[in-house]
Amino acid sequence: MPSPEILTPSFRLDGRVALITGAGAGIGEAIATGFAEAGAETVLIGLSQGPLDDLAGRIEAAGLPRARTFALDVCDTQGIAAAIAGLPRLDILVNNAGTNVPEPFVDVSEENLDRILGLNVRAAFLVAQAAVRKMLEDPQRAERGGAVINISSQMGHVGSPNRTAYCMSKHAVEGLTKAMAVELAPQRIRVNSIGPTFVDTPLIRRIVDTPEKHDFLVSKIPLGSMASVRDMIGAAIYLASPAAAMVTGTCLLVDGGWTAQ
């Protein structure tokens, strides 16, 4: 009797090479660890070499696939392009580096506006462009497929006081995601975004720095708490894996119900 067809999709990333920006801490570090545990080789990009080396050391000490590190600012267009071009192969990009400077709309300085748009939009675009160029060097790309995951935000779908520049930047990321998805579909490069709510990271702790701010934000999340970095791992592995083979041009909201209201 023939074996029954196995219908359960694979969430493994064996044989894949995944690049993660902002990998030295927070969401990027968690996703990089999750990808390594799922079988992917990882390319870790962050501002400081120390945290990257620490993460790579932990990955390799666990007997997981190789981790390469590059201490680079993603706003360094030439440096990022050269690092990506020099990789032997690339299958997955997690475009994670980003920033936020909450302040009232009328007080947003040109300096902060340029900083937010430069990192959250311009650098995200150019990193994705360099990564896709590398992916397309593989003559088997349409057969192997590829994945780009832009780390967006729930604020790419709604508005919020004191976050005009940030909301604008994340709405731009959502538009970029959709346009890339349509254009790259013939090459089977899937492009999606993840829209987290407030995640308990050092960056968010600097912003949510009083009990009043914390309580206000949590009151907006039906599930009753901020997210943890671990909550991002499953979403990223799913979107990068064969399990999401027909998913492109969409946002996976990991927001505890914020945008459902």
Side-chain angles (χ1 to χ4, degrees), residues 12-20 31-44 52-69 89 91-92 237:
R12 296 290 304 174
L13 301 176
D14 302 284
R16 297 282 162 161
V17 178
L19 184 152
I20 304 97
I31 291 175
T33 303
F35 277 10
E37 291 175 351
E41 291 187 19
T42 51
V43 180
L44 313 174
L52 298 177
D53 287 344
D54 179 65
L55 175 57
R58 284 185 276 124
I59 287 172
E60 295 184 2
L64 300 174
R66 177 184 178 187
R68 300 180 181 89
T69 64
R89 193 178 79 248
D91 302 294
I92 300 163
I237 290 177

Side-chain angles (χ1 to χ4, degrees), residues 182-199:
V182 172
E183 183 168 337
L184 298 172
Q187 288 77 40
R188 303 298 293 183
I189 297 174
R190 298 178 298 100
V191 186
N192 294 289
S193 64
I194 296 174
T197 187
F198 289 86
V199 182

Side-chain angles (χ1 to χ4, degrees), residues 212-250:
E212 291 77 19
K213 290 179 183 178
H214 175 273
D215 292 346
F216 169 74
L217 294 175
V218 169
S219 76
K220 301 282 285 181
I221 303 172
L223 284 180
S225 68
M226 291 199 293
S228 75
V229 294
R230 293 179 62 85
D231 296 318
M232 303 303 121
I233 298 173
I237 290 177
Y238 167 66
L239 290 175
S241 75
M246 280 296 289
V247 180
T248 195
T250 194

Side-chain angles (χ1 to χ4, degrees), residues 20-243:
I20 304 97
T21 67
I27 293 172
E29 178 183 10
I31 291 175
T33 303
F35 277 10
E37 291 175 351
E41 291 187 19
T42 51
V43 180
L44 313 174
I45 293 182
L47 286 173
S48 302
Q49 190 67 52
L52 298 177
D53 287 344
D54 179 65
L55 175 57
R58 284 185 276 124
I59 287 172
E60 295 184 2
L64 300 174
R66 177 184 178 187
R68 300 180 181 89
T69 64
F70 295 90
L72 285 168
D73 185 338
V74 293
C75 293
D76 175 6
T77 303
Q78 292 184 342
I80 287 289
I84 293 175
L87 296 173
R89 193 178 79 248
L90 185 62
D91 302 294
I92 300 163
L93 167 67
V94 179
N95 223 347
N96 169 65
T99 193
N100 187 12
V101 185
E103 54 191 340
F105 171 65
V106 295
D107 294 332
V108 175
S109 66
E110 288 190 40
E111 179 183 4
N112 285 339
L113 179 63
D114 289 344
R115 178 185 172 196
I116 291 169
L117 294 179
L119 180 54
N120 293 4
V121 181
R122 186 176 188 276
F125 182 101
L126 293 172
V127 169
Q129 186 181 60
V132 169
R133 284 172 175 164
K134 170 53 65 174
M135 291 180 191
L136 292 175
E137 289 179 4
D138 187 339
Q140 259 75 62
R141 180 54 56 197
E143 292 156 31
R144 288 180 55 79
V148 175
I149 301 170
N150 294 317
I151 303 301
S152 179
S153 169
Q154 64 187 14
M155 297 304 172
H157 300 264
V158 297
S160 182
N162 301 321
R163 288 172 174 81
T164 49
Y166 184 75
C167 287
M168 177 171 63
S169 74
K170 292 304 184 178
H171 277 72
V173 168
E174 295 297 343
L176 173 63
T177 298
K178 292 180 183 299
M180 287 178 62
V182 172
E183 183 168 337
L184 298 172
Q187 288 77 40
R188 303 298 293 183
I189 297 174
R190 298 178 298 100
V191 186
N192 294 289
S193 64
I194 296 174
T197 187
F198 289 86
V199 182
D200 188 9
T201 65
L203 173 63
I204 294 300
R205 288 183 211 121
R206 289 197 296 272
I207 296 170
V208 185
D209 56 357
T210 68
E212 291 77 19
K213 290 179 183 178
H214 175 273
D215 292 346
F216 169 74
L217 294 175
V218 169
S219 76
K220 301 282 285 181
I221 303 172
L223 284 180
S225 68
M226 291 199 293
S228 75
V229 294
R230 293 179 62 85
D231 296 318
M232 303 303 121
I233 298 173
I237 290 177
Y238 167 66
L239 290 175
S241 75

